Amino acid sequence: METETFCAEETFALGKKIGEMVQAGMVLSLIGDLGVGKTIFTQGVAAGLGITEPVNSPTFTIMQIYEEGRLPFYHFDVYRIGDPEEMEEIGYEDYFYGNGVCLVEWADLIEELLPADLCTIRIKKDLEKGFDYRKISIEGLEVQGF
């Protein structure tokens, strides 16, 4: 599935829609360059899960845990991971194969650790179509039961 958004609010709304649909055990792989709106999208997913506390990119902590929504939400930002062993140190498998929802920003950097049945979301800019334009492709929702 491919879609387009033309402002941050639309990117947030798409994330929220997905957050309303996700189920326990899902892993969302989020891929895109710096500044494409990964955090805005993630905030939407969190809102769709019923999380009201501020959601920011956990770049320096690798993972943030949010438990106030309808499912636990594990937000990973692996941009600064130098070696996949760092993921083992935080016990990533407990989260990837647990009862919550995982969203992994920069997931392409740890491809070898990701489960086979995941949802991959790619966000791209196209400045020719406008500063706030985003092309968002989503693969794997059908694998997750959608």
Side-chain angles (χ1 to χ4, degrees):
M1 168 181 132
E2 284 191 359
T3 190
E4 298 173 307
T5 62
F6 296 90
C7 62
E9 293 80 12
E10 290 180 359
T11 301
F12 179 93
L14 178 62
K16 184 175 181 185
K17 182 178 177 182
I18 289 174
E20 291 168 347
M21 297 187 307
V22 293
Q23 301 167 8
M26 288 183 68
V27 176
L28 306 175
S29 162
L30 186 54
I31 300 167
D33 292 333
L34 285 169
V36 297
K38 292 184 300 293
T39 300
I40 294 289
F41 181 88
T42 299
Q43 290 168 342
V45 172
L49 284 165
I51 295 166
T52 58
E53 67 182 284
V55 173
N56 297 304
S57 189
T59 300
F60 296 103
T61 58
I62 300 176
M63 182 185 64
Q64 294 281 11
I65 298 173
Y66 303 92
E67 298 187 280
E68 72 170 289
R70 66 178 176 85
L71 294 168
F73 182 50
Y74 309 116
H75 178 200
F76 292 82
D77 182 329
V78 299
Y79 182 72
R80 298 197 185 281
I81 291 284
D83 186 322
E85 285 183 21
E86 292 177 58
M87 291 294 290
E88 291 176 18
E89 291 172 13
I90 62 171
Y92 79 94
E93 288 178 325
D94 293 339
Y95 302 103
F96 283 14
Y97 301 100
N99 292 322
V101 174
C102 292
L103 185 143
V104 184
E105 292 189 44
W106 300 97
D108 50 329
L109 299 177
I110 60 161
E111 261 181 333
E112 66 274 16
L113 301 179
L114 296 171
D117 58 338
L118 57 81
C119 173
T120 301
I121 301 144
R122 296 178 195 280
I123 305 176
K124 294 181 181 179
K125 287 185 192 182
D126 184 344
L127 294 176
E128 291 181 10
K129 293 187 177 186
F131 182 76
D132 292 322
Y133 171 86
R134 301 295 184 264
K135 180 178 179 182
I136 302 173
S137 64
I138 302 169
E139 299 171 16
L141 279 182
E142 63 282 350
V143 171
Q144 300 291 343
F146 294 103

